[in-house]
Amino acid sequence: MPSQLVEKYFRVENLPHIWCPGCGNGIVTRAIVKAIDNMNLNKDEVCIVSGIGCSSRASGYLDFNTLHTTHGRALAFATGIKLSKPELTVIVITGDGDAAAIGGNHLIHAARRNIDITTIVYNNHIYGMTGGQYSPTTPTGEKGTTAPYGNIDANFDLCDLVKGAGASFIARGTVYGAKLLEKQIENGIKNKGFSFIEALTICPTYYGRRNKKGSVVDMTTYLKDNAINISAWNKLPKEKKIGKFIVGEIYNNKRAEYTEEYDKIIKSL
Amino acid sequence: MPVGKEKSLTVIKEWCKGCGICVAFCPKSVLILKDGKVKIEDFDSCIQCGQCELRCPDFAIYLGGKR
Amino acid sequence: MKAKLMQGNEACVQGALKAGMRFFSGYPITPSTEIAELSAVELPKVGGKFIQMEDEIAGISAAIGAALTGVKSMTATSGPGFSLKQESIGYALMAEIPCVVVNVQRGGPSTGLPTAPAQGDIMQSRWGTHGDHSIIALYPSSVRETYDKTIRAFNLAEKFRTPVILLLDEVIGHMREKFFMDENEKIEIIDRIKPTCAPEEYKAYKVLDGEIVPQMPDFGEGYRYHVTGLVHDETGFPSGNEKIAEELVRRLINKIEDNVDDIVEFENYLLDDADILIVSFGASARSSKAAVDRLRNDGYKIGLFRPITIWPSPEKQLLELSKRVKKMIVVEMNAGQYFLEVDRIAHGNTKVEKYGRVNGELITVDEIVSFVKEGQNA
């Protein structure tokens, strides 16, 4: 018998999920349903849209209106849903390759429109589903099956990317700080506009093993030890920032939301 | 059920993939890995913090359930 | 009966609105852009939504997303954009989501001839997306027919839960001609079938007895089902089972192939005594029809068969004709695409020839007449 939370929001008959032992995707997925539970949203009015990749399999396990789309296109499908039926709460689940490589164009334009969709990127820094190729967030120098001598690409800072594109709510959390992640997702859903939550997760099977990151626990501990909250970050001297990364609510600046603006046009005609 | 504990700890063995996260992050060493699965070794020490449930990627352990 | 001067692309939008379109998402591309422009003007007036997406793939993907909320949606494009849309056309086929995809064809390959007519996407409309499938593609040849066939495209999409392709020629899309509309004309509008069972009993991809496709609730109505482009069983969840895969792909093909008689439309022109048959569609059929008239005056027993539904092809009709004519000539603005289909169907029953061009110029009546008389490709 699963927990009440799992029983209520998961399609329990489809569990256990396909993710590898120690993969952080389950933790992020749980944080999403916990956020939904905290807000007491009606399951019938929540729509989860995902792309392709390990993380995008989450939609099949969740008991909402769920749409598992094509690679990179989740936000485009989600835009159609949200614009057509704005009363639905639309949440996009995607990965770093899905959102920032093949779906990069959709990501920046959804942010630019500030359409009321909450996007959660499960960032594991690798293409897991296809077996460990480098992604747009694989750090320079790290390895993937397609970067056998080390990745020479510079990696995206996804939060900076969507900030530049116009997202109105941006946060970064980790699977270590699952409680904080839950709150960030909740605040993202509450924001009337494009909300972006980067959830740093771990891929022990492909990323961890190839890059000698140690055990599942080591990888989780790394997230604990190197995450610095935005409030503390700004006060840190430069040398103390090396090897660290920002977590927390990075940006929150309400502006006109797309579907509301469209409805104004309809009313004016 | 030891006094002061409102909730039991439940393991869904079939869902546990033995990653060991819950074992490592339990502040009171309540859990161990045995034969590749989590096992509640010392429930008396459990302080009901819920770290195991929060961190389990497989929803295989949680506070609550049948006592 | 009121007459209006109307452009093909405009007739397409008017037909779509009549059919109940309440969502359009697309990307600007010549020569289809007027469809987006007019949708942008008209949709908000009726409470519908228009959005210009960031690219062609997003254009169709958003239309599919909207369709899941219960609205009728459309996207429109041309050549290069049609190539890009193939990914999501496959998704709509697999997940059985009704939508209409308009392709106002232009010269290709690649960016080709953006403002010139061509009929080079015949095979792409049939086989553009990967994997085994069947598809419905309609091909009007006048402005009024564009209006009617756009409505029909929506009706077929709803009835068979499938994307329907509407192929227009650049010259049909941009041509202005008289459009007669009887205000009292009865027009059939078909809507998707929705579940009548309780949500707990609903199986998203189960076809009930006596029905052609699974029932389709709107997202947000309480049925909370799963939609995927992966092979799925009748619950809608992914499956790698070979039996389920075989059954699903066969079902998706057969729901169209088994209903060809319902789907196929065509025009017969002077066929009764014909021993030469021209097969042509769209703008080429207009030249062909005029050529038939001229050749009749010169004593030729010639007729025109014009498929209006080009996919699935009017196989039964073409086979029958192939048994009684001496020659079939497929006239099309390409290097011989539908010719392959006609030749396959004729199966050696009669001689099948092709007359085509790929230079962005319309096929003229004179050319067809001299080809029939002299048997020479110009």
Side-chain angles (χ1 to χ4, degrees):
Chain A
M1 185 77 182
S3 71
Q4 279 180 6
L5 185 77
V6 172
E7 189 73 35
K8 184 169 178 189
Y9 294 104
F10 281 78
R11 289 162 172 153
V12 173
E13 65 278 14
N14 294 349
L15 294 173
H17 54 60
I18 59 161
W19 298 317
C20 300
C23 166
N25 288 355
I27 300 173
V28 186
T29 308
R30 185 187 178 278
I32 294 171
V33 301
K34 192 67 177 50
I36 290 169
D37 190 55
N38 294 346
M39 295 173 73
N40 205 18
L41 297 177
N42 180 346
K43 291 200 288 184
D44 292 340
E45 288 160 11
V46 174
C47 187
I48 307 270
V49 186
S50 65
I52 294 293
C54 291
S55 55
S56 289
R57 282 301 188 99
S59 58
Y61 302 122
L62 296 170
D63 188 18
F64 304 97
N65 304 284
T66 55
L67 181 63
H68 180 219
T69 68
T70 50
H71 197 17
R73 320 289 171 217
L75 273 164
F77 284 82
T79 297
I81 293 170
K82 184 68 191 181
L83 179 57
S84 177
K85 208 168 190 174
E87 60 269 33
L88 293 175
T89 297
V90 180
I91 297 169
V92 165
I93 292 178
T94 175
D96 41 307
D98 195 53
I102 193 163
N105 200 29
H106 310 307
L107 176 65
I108 58 173
H109 288 275
R112 178 177 62 82
R113 291 184 193 108
N114 196 35
I115 187 163
D116 185 23
I117 295 171
T118 301
T119 296
I120 297 132
V121 178
Y122 295 40
N123 183 1
N124 63 358
H125 308 96
I126 203 87
Y127 285 89
M129 189 68 91
T130 45
Q133 298 73 37
Y134 72 98
S135 87
T137 63
T138 303
T140 309
E142 299 275 63
K143 288 177 178 161
T145 58
T146 46
Y149 311 113
N151 176 25
I152 58 170
D153 285 20
N155 51 295
F156 266 136
D157 180 321
L158 296 179
C159 293
D160 280 355
L161 176 71
V162 293
K163 188 178 174 191
S168 52
F169 176 93
I170 303 166
R172 184 188 286 126
T174 74
V175 292
Y176 175 79
K179 202 79 198 159
L180 188 66
L181 185 62
E182 189 182 301
K183 195 68 201 164
Q184 290 170 344
I185 294 167
E186 190 182 324
N187 289 343
I189 296 170
K190 281 178 184 158
N191 172 51
K192 188 81 191 153
F194 188 77
S195 302
F196 182 84
I197 294 106
E198 179 183 5
L200 295 177
T201 179
I202 59 169
C203 171
T205 305
Y206 294 112
Y207 184 75
R209 204 176 287 166
R210 182 168 287 264
N211 289 294
K212 301 189 170 52
K213 298 295 183 191
S215 69
V216 168
V217 174
D218 293 336
M219 291 181 80
T220 309
T221 307
Y222 172 85
L223 294 174
K224 175 190 172 196
D225 293 345
N226 294 289
I228 294 176
N229 196 280
I230 180 94
S231 52
W233 179 270
N234 295 331
K235 295 171 203 146
L236 271 191
K238 215 175 172 183
E239 64 274 13
K240 293 216 166 157
K241 290 179 179 171
I242 297 166
K244 309 284 180 187
F245 55 86
I246 302 174
V247 291
E249 290 190 8
I250 290 169
Y251 188 73
N252 193 348
N253 193 7
K254 203 170 161 51
R255 68 180 177 92
E257 192 274 330
Y258 192 85
T259 63
E260 288 182 344
E261 293 304 301
Y262 199 94
D263 281 342
K264 283 183 199 164
I265 293 176
I266 292 177
K267 286 198 185 81
S268 73
L269 295 173
Chain B
M1 178 67 49
V3 184
K5 288 198 176 37
E6 290 179 5
K7 294 172 183 169
S8 64
L9 200 53
T10 304
V11 168
I12 307 174
K13 221 171 167 181
E14 307 80 64
W15 289 2
C16 175
K17 292 173 185 164
C19 69
I21 293 178
C22 60
V23 176
F25 289 98
C26 172
K28 293 290 173 184
S29 305
V30 172
L31 309 167
I32 60 164
L33 271 186
K34 190 159 186 280
D35 303 325
K37 302 271 182 185
V38 63
K39 183 170 180 280
I40 302 164
E41 180 72 1
D42 179 17
F43 185 63
D44 286 350
S45 301
C46 176
I47 54 166
Q48 311 253 297
C49 66
Q51 288 285 313
C52 52
E53 181 179 354
L54 188 69
R55 300 190 186 290
C56 175
D58 296 289
F59 327 123
I61 186 164
Y62 63 96
L63 277 175
K66 283 205 182 103
R67 294 194 172 187
Chain C
M1 182 105 51
K2 273 200 320 203
K4 251 186 102 176
L5 192 63
M6 198 184 281
Q7 194 187 45
N9 283 347
E10 184 185 348
C12 174
V13 176
Q14 295 299 350
L17 290 166
K18 182 75 185 176
M21 172 180 73
R22 288 297 177 271
F23 192 94
F24 181 99
S25 49
Y27 187 82
I29 185 167
T30 305
S32 77
T33 307
E34 295 84 0
I35 297 174
E37 288 173 336
L38 191 61
S39 296
V41 172
E42 296 300 327
L43 275 169
K45 292 183 188 167
V46 293
K49 309 287 171 74
F50 166 90
I51 186 169
Q52 182 172 309
M53 294 298 286
E54 54 274 12
D55 61 35
E56 295 280 1
I57 303 173
I60 181 170
S61 301
I64 294 169
L68 280 159
T69 69
V71 304
K72 294 183 183 178
S73 65
M74 181 168 91
T75 188
T77 190
S78 302
F82 193 52
S83 296
L84 288 164
K85 291 200 191 302
Q86 296 302 332
E87 178 190 57
S88 281
I89 289 174
Y91 187 87
L93 280 163
M94 188 60 147
E96 299 183 77
I97 302 170
C99 58
V100 173
V101 181
V102 185
N103 174 15
V104 188
Q105 293 166 92
R106 60 189 240 185
S110 186
T111 36
L113 293 163
T115 58
Q119 299 179 320
D121 302 347
I122 306 299
M123 282 299 173
Q124 193 188 18
S125 62
R126 176 64 187 87
W127 290 115
T129 198
H130 60 276
D132 286 293
H133 59 274
S134 194
I135 192 117
I136 301 174
L138 309 183
Y139 210 137
S141 77
S142 70
V143 169
R144 172 63 212 235
E145 200 173 64
T146 299
Y147 177 86
D148 294 335
K149 295 315 145 194
T150 307
I151 295 170
R152 187 151 197 268
F154 275 94
N155 285 345
L156 293 170
E158 294 285 316
K159 184 170 185 179
F160 294 99
R161 280 192 64 173
T162 191
V164 172
I165 292 164
L166 183 75
L167 285 177
L168 295 184
D169 289 326
E170 184 276 335
V171 281
I172 304 292
H174 279 162
M175 176 174 61
R176 289 176 195 279
E177 67 181 348
K178 262 187 283 184
F179 179 102
F180 290 99
M181 184 79 217
D182 180 353
E183 300 291 332
N184 302 317
E185 195 177 323
K186 279 265 178 294
I187 291 173
E188 187 193 20
I189 303 293
I190 298 174
D191 296 316
R192 66 193 69 170
I193 47 166
K194 294 182 121 199
T196 45
C197 66
E200 314 79 80
E201 290 154 26
Y202 176 66
K203 282 190 174 155
Y205 286 90
K206 186 177 170 61
V207 182
L208 301 183
D209 285 345
E211 292 178 358
I212 304 168
V213 293
Q215 299 172 333
M216 185 177 178
D218 306 346
F219 270 9
E221 272 189 330
Y223 286 83
R224 296 202 310 273
Y225 64 108
H226 187 60
V227 179
T228 179
L230 290 169
V231 164
H232 46 273
D233 61 21
E234 61 183 22
T235 66
F237 294 110
S239 168
N241 180 292
E242 66 270 25
K243 187 169 168 279
I244 286 166
E246 182 84 26
E247 277 175 8
L248 173 64
V249 178
R250 296 280 180 200
R251 178 173 72 73
L252 295 181
I253 293 171
N254 290 342
K255 73 177 177 183
I256 291 171
E257 304 295 328
D258 291 348
N259 290 289
V260 165
D261 288 343
D262 180 14
I263 297 166
V264 157
E265 282 187 331
F266 52 86
E267 181 194 357
N268 283 332
Y269 185 63
L270 306 179
L271 291 191
D272 289 349
D273 63 339
D275 53 23
I276 303 172
L277 173 69
I278 293 179
V279 178
S280 191
F281 38 78
S284 300
R286 296 169 71 116
S287 303
S288 297
K289 199 177 216 174
V292 165
D293 288 340
R294 285 229 326 244
L295 288 158
R296 281 269 167 186
N297 283 339
D298 294 345
Y300 285 82
K301 287 183 177 173
I302 187 165
L304 169 70
F305 180 80
R306 179 171 71 89
I308 300 169
T309 309
I310 64 159
W311 303 115
S313 55
E315 185 156 352
K316 203 161 71 183
Q317 291 75 14
L318 281 165
L319 178 64
E320 195 50 44
L321 288 164
S322 74
K323 289 175 184 164
R324 64 178 178 91
V325 297
K326 290 185 185 138
K327 184 157 68 168
M328 294 167 102
I329 305 168
V330 185
V331 176
E332 51 186 338
M333 279 186 280
N334 60 47
Q337 294 191 21
Y338 211 59
F339 162 77
L340 292 172
E341 178 69 356
V342 175
D343 196 42
R344 176 188 73 79
I345 294 166
H347 203 68
N349 291 332
T350 189
K351 196 173 160 196
V352 183
E353 292 179 353
K354 59 181 167 183
Y355 184 82
R357 64 193 319 167
V358 290
N359 62 354
E361 294 289 325
L362 278 171
I363 296 171
T364 64
V365 181
D366 284 348
E367 285 173 72
I368 300 168
V369 167
S370 57
F371 181 76
V372 171
K373 286 183 174 173
E374 293 148 37
Q376 307 262 311
N377 207 335

